Amino acid sequence: MACVALLLLLSVFTPSRGADHTVWDRSGDGQPAAHPLLYFEPRDVKSLRQKARGSHSSVSRAIRTAVKTMLAKNTIYLPPADHQDFSAKWNEVYGNNLGVLSLYCLLYPEDADALEFTLTYLDRMASYPRWQVRTAPNDEVPVAHSLSGFATALDFLYPVLDEARRQTYLEKIHAVTVELYEFSKYRAWGKHFLHNHQATNVLALLIGALVLSPHQPQTALLCKQFAIDVMEKTMFLLDHVVDGSLDEGVAYGSYTSKSITQYVFLALRHFNLNHTASPWLRQHFWFYYATLLPGFQRSVGIADSNYNWFYGPESQLVFLDRYVLRDGSGNWLAKQIRRHRPKDGPMEPSSAHRWCTLHTEFIWFDPQLVPRPPDHHGTPSLHVFSNWGVVTYGGGLPNGPGNTFVSFKSGKLGGRAVYEIVHGSPYSWIDGWKNFNPGHEHPDQNSFTFAPNGQVFVSEALYGPKYSYLNNVLVFGPSPSSQCNQPWEGQLGECGQWLNWLAEEAGSSGGELVTAAHHGGMVFTSGEAAKAYSSAMGLRSVYRALLLLNAQTLLVVDHVERSVDSPLERASSFFHNLDIDFKYVPYSAPGGLNGAMMDVWDAQYKMFWFDPSGSSPEPRLQDTEQAAEFKKRWTQYVNVTFPLSGPVSRMAYLFHGPYVRVSDGRFLDDGGHGLKVGLTVNGTPVVVSLATRHSDPSARFSYLGFGGYAMVEEPHQVTRFGLGITAVQGRRSVGAAFFHFGMTVKATVAVGLCLGLGLVATRCRFHLSFGKLLRLAMLIAVTLWLVELAVLWTTCRQPLCGANWTGGDPGPVPSQWDPVLGKMSPLVVASLPGSGAEILEHLFANSTDFLYVRLPMEETGAAEMDPFLDACEWKGSDAQQGRYRLVQGWLQSLVHDTKLHLQNAPMHPGARGDATGDNPGGSPDKKRKTRRKASSADRRYRENAERNADEVHQLRRHLASYPNARVVLSLSSGAWTLKLPFIQGVLGASTRTMLVVRDPRAWVHSLLFNSKPSLYSLSNMPRRLTSLFQRDAAEACSPPSAYAFEFERHRRHFSSSSKNVVALLAHLWLANTEAAMRVNGRLSAATYMLLKFEDIVNRPEEAAEKVYTFLGFPLPPAVLNKILFTTSTNLFHLPFEGEVSPSNLQVWRDRMSQQDISSIEDICWSAMAQLGYSRVTS
């Protein structure tokens, strides 16, 4: 950030390119040409007027409508003549409307009435002594709105203003800009990043400074320097938010993004600071699309929200399309929103906001980008906001049957990126929560909404006081730490107008989005929110799972686990709806279960609930009004309270629409590792299995049979969320099984009665003895019993048919369980050094499911191998024959008894002795040089040892918290690439193995050109290659047959007197890659995976899902967020390399000669083609 001032100074005196890559005109004194200058230049005005009558007519029509409305109702929209009236209420509307007014006057100069109205408007604004609101004297937000609009209007209308007005208006802009700058030094908004107040006020400061630049350059420079410093830090922080979200929600998010998009444009135009490749901007489109309920009118209401957006979002969308996306999707969504905007009712735009962004929408609109929806539009899809902690399903669709919307939130305070920055302190200029303000967030972890067929059934309560009961979350009682609503207590930070994020424990609160998966119209997502509640409540787990069974049916399950000393006795849930026309009423569900119903024009939306004991408490149906933005807002809710009995309590809630029949809701299992719920949906039996020990992969596997979190069993298929759907051939339903069983019983009884009558008749006729008759009856009974047993065997596969039914055999699942370990099998990763395998750490490290261990060669006891590369292949048979016992013992120790192995790992650097040796001879200079080298080497050794000791400490702590975490061995030496079959033979057939490969051109570049000194030099590659090829095959490996023949093919290239280093490394890559693919290709496809480094960087979500599916796990949102951050922000570096990002994958194209590239391609082409790499040279 220190270079921002220098960039600013240079920008004042250096011509820069604008957003459309046109060079600014400069006058002789180095200042910009005459106004307008903010968004365009005087020579662009004629073109803009032509566009208003042609390509931009859809936007200009909205502009004309806005201005005509203002002219027709001038008493409402014209600022009052009396300053007291102006300052008596929130007055941002006057600044907001100036942008569209002044642009209209510029586009339609013939409209004298509009110009006169605008000049009167500006005159009154300029005459006010201050722009503050009297009731909010410490809030500069309305001042910033006035300054932005006023300065923009002066810039647009400067050519038509007389000299007196120019002077008056400039003086006003100067005074307010300086005032705002002084306030920034001590007001909270001056230091609260990613908050709507800071973005609004700092942008106003920048706009004022830019307009002042030709007239007051010294003042303008000071203000620009501050504004750019703050906004550049904002953009830097936003780059950490890889899902494009804003923690304040969609409504306030649109407020903040209005200012951010304007800043990005102005920074590019005026200072040549280009942020259009920002990862946040690239994903920001989905913040508007995926949060839209069917019909394009209403957005998800997380945090302080109204029904949709405060500002825009048409302006933000056309900006994204023109400068970031370039695919027409932004124009398409803006068009849909404008077309479907409500004209009245609670969802119509506020009069203070509705026209605020029309001028920037017109300026940024690119008609050449033909509106088209994003790929796969029209089909409900799942979207995960991994940073925000929000999942949505069905966003961005039109109204229609089956277009259902579901949302779920369980996230960190401030969003994951801000939370980790606050608690990790990676930047010296961030002072914890003092630099952020999540006050607009709600106590809403584990909250959800449900709109079957687009009809809102369960919604948020929107903008209001921060009470947990106003959100669809659990509240507990009695609690000793309750701050309001005693004896009940909800989540941390509640009870005030704003979320109290600085209260004790609140700064560390938050939920965790555990999983989210979508298969065949069913959606499963879940979250853990125990840390969102006070520690005094003694809650060990507050786990909520949502399962959308079909477009009409949603199952919600709460799992609450308390500590022994928890004072809590009851849990109370709330379900809200804001539609005043449709009231909740009591409802009795099948089976005598209590429920509630909402009648929507004779279509009945129903809910009911139950616990494992079959209890279904009566609900309380209430409605209330609470303070919102500047008004009251009404909400109704269903309140259900369950008693908490024992350490674990579970409750299930079923919500369904009018076109589905749901009955037989009951718990089938209430075990320690999970639960099962049985339902009958439209006559079809369904069994839902949930693993509630969600942070224990072994517990999940033992309960579900795979490493996921939920499973749904139906008569003919099983859905394992995160893995997919398995069809079950010849499967019978519970009902069918019992039908056939019942018929068999009836038939058996009938046959028995007939035979009994026959025997009696026979005895009477033939005078048989009673003993003979009894033996005959017993023989017939045994025969019938065997027949019944055979029938039962074919109809029911459970020990007790119907008792705790799980749907029969769920079908084949790839083996992920190691019976020797008693937990899930390990994963072993190998690669050549420089292949980028280190990036996989971000898929596994600090995960509840994995223990990620990096293994340097020297720790394995394999002294005979070169740590960089080894040409000997070790087979599975070598493990069976007992070869390499030291390595076998080491691997088994690490995997089979990880805890003991880590306890015995050295924690302190040992003494290496005198590195200089006993050398009494030699000159004093040589002795000093030797001592300096020894001291430097010893220092590096100690630093590495301390780092390794710290890693061991972390591994011990992680294993103590998650004892069943799956071990991941990252073999950091290239010597292991030909030994994965041996490792699998040592660790067991269920061991998963992975080989990471890299484009040979990038690999050679990383070794030779990516660092100074190069990895080639640091690794002493010449000596290693000499050692590798100076021995023949018989001497290189034991037994000699283990020598990989691919290396022998290339021996002559390494023994050649004229060695080309690039060609040598290319041959080395080819020999190792071909040998590795041959050797490891013999492994089972279920246990071996070849992964390209480029796939991880270019398609991180797809590659991460592929890796996790290979391991039998769903991809957790937290891991998705981490890998997206690693690959898209330019903030992660590989060892000896620069930033990792898709754009940096191809740096070898610019830094290597065409001759070297062609040489590598010619040598390595056989393997490159097999791996899917393409040539760049002919």
Side-chain angles (χ1 to χ4, degrees), residues 735-977:
F738 275 108
F739 172 78
H740 292 298
F741 176 63
M743 288 298 294
T744 305
V745 171
K746 292 175 183 177
T748 303
V749 171
V751 171
L753 287 173
C754 292
L755 288 173
L757 291 172
L759 287 173
V760 171
T762 302
R763 182 174 182 271
C764 294
R765 182 171 181 178
F766 295 103
H767 304 286
L768 294 175
S769 68
F770 183 78
K772 289 182 179 180
L773 188 63
L774 183 62
R775 286 193 293 274
L776 182 61
M778 289 182 64
L779 180 62
I780 294 173
V782 170
T783 303
L784 289 174
W785 180 78
L786 290 174
V787 170
E788 176 62 19
L789 185 62
V791 173
L792 181 63
W793 186 267
T794 62
T795 58
C796 182
R797 301 180 183 181
Q798 300 302 308
L800 290 175
C801 191
N804 192 20
W805 185 77
T806 61
D809 183 10
V813 179
S815 174
Q816 298 277 354
W817 187 262
D818 189 323
V820 178
L821 290 176
K823 60 182 181 181
M824 299 192 77
S825 56
L827 168 68
V828 178
V829 181
S831 70
L832 277 177
S835 295
E838 295 86 354
I839 201 171
L840 293 180
E841 179 178 359
H842 298 271
L843 285 179
F844 303 120
N846 300 317
S847 166
T848 60
D849 287 349
F850 294 101
L851 182 76
Y852 182 81
V853 184
R854 291 187 305 110
L855 294 182
M857 174 62 73
E858 56 270 17
E859 294 186 14
T860 64
E864 66 271 25
M865 291 193 296
D866 186 290
F868 189 90
L869 183 66
D870 187 70
C872 303
E873 55 181 276
W874 293 1
K875 302 180 178 66
S877 58
D878 293 326
Q880 296 171 2
Q881 294 168 11
R883 290 197 176 112
Y884 320 114
R885 289 188 178 277
L886 189 59
V887 176
Q888 287 198 48
W890 196 93
L891 289 170
Q892 290 173 342
S893 168
L894 180 55
V895 173
H896 289 209
D897 201 343
T898 311
K899 183 177 180 180
L900 182 62
H901 185 97
L902 292 175
Q903 286 176 347
N904 293 332
M907 294 295 295
H908 304 287
R912 299 207 313 167
D914 186 2
T916 63
D918 296 326
N919 183 19
S923 67
D925 288 341
K926 286 185 177 181
K927 288 183 179 180
R928 281 194 295 269
K929 290 179 180 178
T930 304
R931 281 196 296 268
R932 279 199 298 269
K933 288 181 180 179
S935 176
S936 176
D938 194 58
R939 184 171 61 252
R940 286 196 301 272
Y941 169 77
R942 289 185 174 275
E943 289 174 354
N944 289 334
E946 290 172 1
R947 184 164 56 250
N948 291 338
D950 183 59
E951 288 181 4
V952 172
H953 256 309
Q954 293 179 16
L955 291 173
R956 288 178 180 176
R957 289 195 297 267
H958 190 81
L959 194 61
S961 300
Y962 309 105
N964 287 326
R966 193 172 184 177
V967 176
V968 177
L969 302 182
S970 177
L971 303 175
S972 55
S973 163
W976 296 103
T977 57

Side-chain angles (χ1 to χ4, degrees), residues 27 44 83 262 292 322 324 336 344 353 417 522 524 557 681 709 719 771 803 873 914 916 936 983 1132 1142:
S27 58
D44 298 324
H83 174 251
Q262 289 186 54
L292 262 174
R322 180 170 184 173
V324 182
Q336 299 302 317
D344 52 28
H353 306 149
M522 287 197 286
F524 178 77
V557 177
V681 181
Y709 303 87
T719 302
E873 55 181 276
D914 186 2
T916 63
S936 176
I983 294 174
F1132 171 73

Side-chain angles (χ1 to χ4, degrees), residues 20 47-48 50-59 318-319 321-323 326-328 330-332 335 361-372:
D20 292 316
S47 173
L48 290 173
Q50 291 173 346
K51 290 176 180 178
R53 292 164 173 81
S55 61
H56 288 47
S57 59
S58 60
V59 186
V318 299
F319 172 88
D321 216 350
R322 180 170 184 173
Y323 297 105
R326 303 294 302 170
D327 62 2
N331 284 353
W332 173 84
K335 181 179 179 180
E361 182 184 354
F362 180 89
I363 293 166
W364 295 333
F365 178 65
D366 185 350
Q368 295 182 345
L369 296 171
V370 178
R372 70 174 188 86

Side-chain angles (χ1 to χ4, degrees), residues 1142-1159:
S1143 59
N1144 288 335
L1145 283 179
Q1146 305 290 323
V1147 292
W1148 50 266
R1149 288 175 177 255
D1150 301 322
R1151 297 182 184 175
M1152 294 174 67
S1153 68
Q1154 286 295 303
Q1155 182 180 356
D1156 286 342
I1157 295 173
S1158 179
S1159 174

Side-chain angles (χ1 to χ4, degrees), residues 548-725:
L548 184 70
L549 288 165
N550 54 50
Q552 296 269 319
T553 310
L554 178 70
L555 174 67
V556 177
V557 177
D558 283 326
H559 165 89
V560 178
E561 192 171 343
R562 299 175 296 156
S563 60
V564 176
D565 56 351
S566 171
L568 305 180
E569 298 174 0
R570 297 180 297 278
S572 196
S573 55
F574 296 83
F575 311 111
H576 285 262
N577 193 294
L578 299 175
D579 289 338
I580 195 169
D581 295 329
F582 310 119
K583 290 291 188 73
Y584 286 136
V585 296
Y587 159 72
S588 181
L593 300 178
N594 284 305
M597 180 179 70
M598 186 176 76
D599 194 302
V600 182
W601 314 122
D602 295 329
Q604 296 179 342
Y605 294 79
K606 301 173 182 178
M607 66 174 85
F608 61 89
W609 44 85
F610 51 91
D611 66 8
S613 69
S615 173
S616 179
E618 291 188 7
R620 295 177 62 194
L621 307 182
Q622 295 182 249
D623 58 76
T624 185
E625 280 190 339
Q626 78 271 4
E629 304 94 311
F630 300 103
K631 56 187 177 184
K632 296 280 188 178
R633 177 169 282 123
W634 177 91
T635 182
Q636 62 172 328
Y637 56 85
V638 178
N639 176 212
V640 184
T641 301
F642 281 93
L644 299 176
S645 56
V648 174
S649 300
R650 288 156 175 166
M651 299 79 79
Y653 315 86
L654 200 290
F655 305 81
H656 66 89
Y659 311 114
V660 66
R661 292 176 291 106
V662 182
S663 60
D664 300 333
R666 66 203 183 280
F667 278 83
L668 301 176
D669 183 32
D670 186 30
H673 287 181
L675 59 90
K676 297 181 189 296
V677 173
L679 299 168
T680 300
V681 181
N682 288 333
T684 301
V686 176
V687 175
V688 177
S689 302
L690 306 180
T692 51
R693 289 182 60 184
H694 55 84
S695 62
D696 186 339
S698 294
R700 300 200 309 266
F701 190 95
S702 64
Y703 194 74
L704 298 175
F706 76 112
Y709 303 87
M711 179 170 66
V712 174
E713 296 168 276
E714 297 174 275
H716 301 292
Q717 67 179 30
V718 176
T719 302
R720 297 177 181 86
F721 288 97
L723 292 188
I725 300 175

